[in-house]
Amino acid sequence: MTVSRVLRNRGDVSDATREKVLEAAKALGYVPNKIAGALASQRVNLVAVIIPSLSNLVFPEVLTGISKELEDTGLQPVVGVTNYSLEKEETVLYEMLSWRPSGVIIAGLEHTDAARAMLENAGIPIVEIMDVDGKGIDSVVGISHRRAGLKMAEAIIAAGYRRIGFLGTKMPEDHRARKRLEGFKEGLEAAGLSLADQEFYAGGSALLKGREMTEAILRRSPDLDFLYYSNDMIGAGGLLWCLENGIDVPNQIGLAGFNGVDLLEGLPRRLATMDACRREIGQRAAAIIAGRSPSGLIGGEIIELQPLLQPGDTIRKP
Amino acid sequence: MTVSRVLRNRGDVSDATREKVLEAAKALGYVPNKIAGALASQRVNLVAVIIPSLSNLVFPEVLTGISKELEDTGLQPVVGVTNYSLEKEETVLYEMLSWRPSGVIIAGLEHTDAARAMLENAGIPIVEIMDVDGKGIDSVVGISHRRAGLKMAEAIIAAGYRRIGFLGTKMPEDHRARKRLEGFKEGLEAAGLSLADQEFYAGGSALLKGREMTEAILRRSPDLDFLYYSNDMIGAGGLLWCLENGIDVPNQIGLAGFNGVDLLEGLPRRLATMDACRREIGQRAAAIIAGRSPSGLIGGEIIELQPLLQPGDTIRKP
DNA sequence: CGCCGGGCGGTTATCGCTAACAACCCCAGA
DNA sequence: TCTGGGGTTGTTAGCGATAACCGCCCGGCG
């Protein structure tokens, strides 16, 4: 017991005894067994974080926000990756819940029924992140992708573009990309327009795919005057391709991506994009789990962040 | 006990009983408590993976290799991030070891004394990855960064370049980058050359920094005929800058990076680089932990992979 | 001098599960 | 009929920590 008290800094122990304990612990290379500790105390300082991918660039940024916010709370994030599969998500969630974390941060609002049931019954704070277009289980922190797509459409139309093409991923499971496209189309329709052409890809180097798709879509529909990419990386590929092929950006063709990744800063021209508030999403979600949300609410908090349009140099000034 | 047997698929249970148990478990939304399970069985199906960063692009790829190899072993990776700080590494390691994982995969051979002691006494398989230039604790899987730098120097010299500059990160704790640079200089010296100039950066968008540094170093030393970048991302920035400024690559100036990231495939010209075998490193390390290393060795395995020079289009053909 | 209470350290029961073994049923073979 | 063994299910004793409580010692105070 005394050892336990010393190592946890809890309860009164005389300095002499504390000293001796620490010394012995060091000499023996003692590492306490958190498994036993957690079982006895019914407390686990872990936060389950479930995201679709690590190679997407977006999610490491969200993680950074989470880690930073949790830093001085004694809580620790544990990451699970689903590869955009809801079945995998269910498995990963089950696995993580079986370690009885203090909270769950999970990307997206779409889950299998079983996963939803687990989340509802877990009895711990749940924060669904990235997306607010739908019904959440407990708390939600994100942006409206539908509205993001819509706003982009409005900006593009306002700048005078009319023959607009879309380039994206072939991922039925990427609901946020889908919602963005839906919002985008809605925006076009509101102006009496519709998508002039589209092109999808799956797998491979996104930058390269961006080039290839751009070439393909422009070969097929040479009269396009705007290309909306579902993410910045393929947008960057498209931008490079256009510049190399002597296309006048943004006058002949305008371009826009989505996410606002750092990477873009180094491109020859700044791609128009929309910041997805990744870092802040992570931070706010972690704050909710840590019970430090400024609202003081316990559960059920909905935070909609506003993505900012960054017009860059690839949209004509209206 | 019977429930335990059903849910773990261990031991004989009649089909009728199994059915009933599964049904009840589903109805109750029962999620077994792994904490108690681990405590009782003294087995934890987790592998601690400790890496410096997630935003480096390299490490997510290593993780992919690890996940893939562990997929059907029942083991699960748990990631800890150190931000290139050995102190943080020690803390993270302590934290992870206190969950008694089945193995540890940790980047680098450099650790604090305390961390090294913990690893030595953990009584589980330890695999140090990325780097083989030094003494390992148990198993080691990686490449020789020193030799990688040296080989690159030889290739550059063989192609006829003589006034060579280096551009890298200002990171004393990034031992692998340091070793690469040391090997590189050694290679130059062997040919009676030395670095003509160098430039370092810290933080920010790597692509942008690559541009800025390239401009800075060429302004200061306009007679350089080769730029060696410590990673592909800054190399890509440099490449874009050179092309925009009408520099003839590779004739006027040659360029090379390091890592062989996918991203490069979409650039206007393929940057010379050296593949760091990231995926395979993850895979082989995980195989060792899973006890499936083809060698059949138990511990103490040293695997040196050979990075492949990819000359791309930014080194003159000799 | 006796009692009280704070400071300190120990005892006991428990957390939810599994290893090990015991118990039971049933049927085949002696 | 009795025995043995396979198939199935139950019992007991931990795993290594912590919560809650207990007890000792000592100094201060009435």
Side-chain angles (χ1 to χ4, degrees):
Chain A
M1 255 336 279
T2 300
V3 171
S4 170
R5 279 193 271 254
V6 171
L7 266 41
R8 287 182 303 149
N9 259 326
R10 205 174 299 270
D12 300 320
V13 181
S14 71
D15 285 349
T17 318
R18 156 172 282 108
E19 232 18 73
K20 275 199 287 185
V21 169
L22 289 176
E23 195 177 320
K26 177 163 264 179
L28 296 170
Y30 173 74
V31 178
N33 187 327
K34 287 226 177 189
I35 299 177
L39 184 60
S41 67
Q42 306 285 327
R43 263 183 278 106
V44 180
N45 67 339
L46 300 177
V47 177
V49 180
I50 301 182
I51 54 179
S53 156
L54 277 174
S55 33
N56 191 319
L57 210 28
V58 167
F59 296 106
E61 287 191 58
V62 175
L63 283 182
T64 305
I66 294 176
S67 307
K68 209 171 144 207
E69 181 71 26
L70 292 183
E71 207 154 64
D72 54 344
T73 60
L75 290 170
Q76 253 208 306
V78 179
V79 179
V81 173
T82 69
N83 292 319
Y84 289 97
S85 145
L86 291 189
E87 280 64 46
K88 185 88 191 289
E89 178 184 274
E90 184 182 320
T91 315
V92 169
L93 178 63
Y94 184 78
E95 189 74 17
M96 302 209 115
L97 284 182
S98 71
W99 287 100
R100 301 289 187 270
S102 300
V104 176
I105 297 177
I106 186 166
L109 296 165
E110 284 77 18
H111 314 288
T112 63
D113 288 344
R116 183 176 299 277
M118 283 190 258
L119 289 169
E120 277 164 356
N121 299 324
I124 51 176
I126 308 294
V127 185
E128 289 164 284
I129 57 171
M130 309 313 288
D131 185 6
V132 301
D133 292 322
K135 200 169 132 290
I137 292 170
D138 179 9
S139 299
V140 179
V141 180
I143 64 171
S144 165
H145 285 263
R146 194 173 299 268
R147 197 143 33 240
L150 194 136
K151 273 167 69 176
M152 183 58 90
E154 290 171 354
I156 291 169
I157 293 165
Y161 297 101
R162 290 296 176 271
R163 303 248 340 132
I164 301 167
F166 176 83
L167 301 91
T169 47
K170 199 179 295 165
M171 279 195 151
E173 298 268 36
D174 186 345
H175 297 279
R176 292 176 290 287
R178 174 178 55 73
K179 291 175 185 175
R180 241 157 29 231
L181 178 53
E182 285 170 9
F184 188 70
K185 285 180 178 165
E186 198 181 307
L188 294 185
E189 278 158 26
L193 295 175
S194 65
L195 272 190
D197 197 354
Q198 44 191 326
E199 182 81 22
F200 296 91
Y201 81 107
S205 156
L207 202 61
L208 180 58
K209 289 293 176 184
R211 284 174 178 272
E212 294 173 353
M213 287 199 295
T214 304
E215 180 167 7
I217 201 171
L218 288 180
R219 184 182 309 279
R220 194 169 54 228
S221 311
D223 59 336
L224 292 177
D225 65 1
F226 201 94
L227 301 177
Y228 180 40
Y229 294 86
S230 76
N231 68 61
D232 283 341
M233 199 58 106
I234 56 175
L239 172 60
L240 291 176
W241 188 87
C242 287
L243 295 179
E244 278 164 42
N245 287 274
I247 293 175
D248 176 6
V249 177
N251 293 315
Q252 183 181 349
I253 294 188
L255 303 174
F258 180 82
N259 264 336
V261 297
D262 253 9
L263 183 97
L264 297 185
E265 287 178 37
L267 293 176
R269 211 158 296 185
R270 279 177 337 184
L271 183 68
T273 189
M274 197 167 260
D275 170 31
C277 311
R278 307 170 301 288
R279 189 80 163 252
E280 190 177 359
I281 286 178
Q283 224 162 61
R284 305 285 289 264
I288 291 177
I289 299 290
R292 309 184 169 159
S293 189
S295 77
L297 283 182
I298 303 195
E301 189 161 358
I302 311 284
I303 301 183
E304 177 176 348
L305 301 174
Q306 294 302 331
L308 195 68
L309 176 70
Q310 299 171 336
D313 313 314
T314 62
I315 291 189
R316 274 198 297 267
K317 309 298 172 208
Chain B
M1 252 337 277
T2 300
V3 171
S4 169
R5 279 193 271 255
V6 170
L7 294 167
R8 287 182 301 149
N9 258 326
R10 207 173 295 272
D12 299 320
V13 180
S14 72
D15 284 349
T17 318
R18 155 173 283 108
E19 229 23 69
K20 275 199 286 186
V21 169
L22 288 177
E23 196 178 319
K26 177 164 263 179
L28 295 171
Y30 173 74
V31 178
N33 187 326
K34 286 225 178 190
I35 299 177
L39 185 61
S41 66
Q42 307 285 327
R43 263 183 276 106
V44 180
N45 66 339
L46 301 176
V47 177
V49 179
I50 301 180
I51 54 179
S53 157
L54 277 174
S55 32
N56 192 318
L57 209 33
V58 168
F59 297 105
E61 287 192 57
V62 174
L63 283 182
T64 306
I66 293 176
S67 307
K68 208 170 144 207
E69 181 70 27
L70 292 183
E71 209 154 64
D72 54 345
T73 61
L75 291 170
Q76 252 208 306
V78 179
V79 178
V81 172
T82 69
N83 293 319
Y84 289 98
S85 143
L86 292 188
E87 279 65 45
K88 185 87 191 291
E89 178 184 276
E90 185 182 318
T91 315
V92 169
L93 179 62
Y94 184 79
E95 189 75 16
M96 303 210 113
L97 284 183
S98 71
W99 288 99
R100 302 288 188 271
S102 300
V104 176
I105 297 177
I106 185 166
L109 296 164
E110 285 76 19
H111 314 288
T112 64
D113 288 345
R116 183 176 298 276
M118 282 190 260
L119 288 169
E120 276 164 356
N121 300 324
I124 51 176
I126 309 293
V127 185
E128 289 163 285
I129 57 170
M130 310 311 290
D131 184 7
V132 301
D133 293 322
K135 202 170 130 288
I137 292 170
D138 180 8
S139 298
V140 179
V141 180
I143 63 170
S144 165
H145 286 262
R146 194 174 299 269
R147 196 145 33 241
L150 194 136
K151 272 167 72 177
M152 184 57 89
E154 290 171 353
I156 292 170
I157 293 166
Y161 298 102
R162 290 295 176 270
R163 305 248 338 132
I164 300 167
F166 177 83
L167 301 91
T169 47
K170 201 180 293 165
M171 280 196 152
E173 299 267 37
D174 186 346
H175 297 280
R176 291 177 289 287
R178 174 177 55 72
K179 290 174 185 175
R180 247 165 13 240
L181 178 53
E182 286 170 9
F184 189 70
K185 285 181 178 165
E186 199 182 305
L188 295 185
E189 277 158 27
L193 295 174
S194 65
L195 272 189
D197 197 353
Q198 46 191 324
E199 182 82 22
F200 297 90
Y201 81 106
S205 156
L207 202 62
L208 181 58
K209 289 294 175 182
R211 282 174 178 274
E212 295 173 354
M213 287 199 295
T214 303
E215 179 167 9
I217 202 171
L218 288 180
R219 184 182 309 281
R220 195 168 54 229
S221 310
D223 60 336
L224 291 178
D225 64 2
F226 201 95
L227 301 176
Y228 179 40
Y229 296 86
S230 76
N231 68 62
D232 283 340
M233 199 58 106
I234 56 174
L239 172 60
L240 290 175
W241 188 88
C242 287
L243 295 179
E244 279 164 42
N245 288 274
I247 293 174
D248 175 7
V249 177
N251 294 314
Q252 183 180 350
I253 295 187
L255 304 173
F258 181 82
N259 263 338
V261 296
D262 253 7
L263 183 97
L264 297 185
E265 285 178 38
L267 292 176
R269 211 157 295 184
R270 280 177 339 186
L271 183 68
T273 189
M274 197 167 259
D275 170 32
C277 311
R278 307 170 300 287
R279 190 79 164 253
E280 190 176 359
I281 286 177
Q283 223 163 65
R284 305 286 288 264
I288 292 178
I289 298 291
R292 312 183 167 159
S293 190
S295 77
L297 282 182
I298 304 196
E301 188 160 359
I302 311 284
I303 301 183
E304 177 176 349
L305 301 174
Q306 295 302 331
L308 194 69
L309 177 70
Q310 298 171 335
D313 314 313
T314 62
I315 291 188
R316 274 198 296 268
K317 309 296 172 207

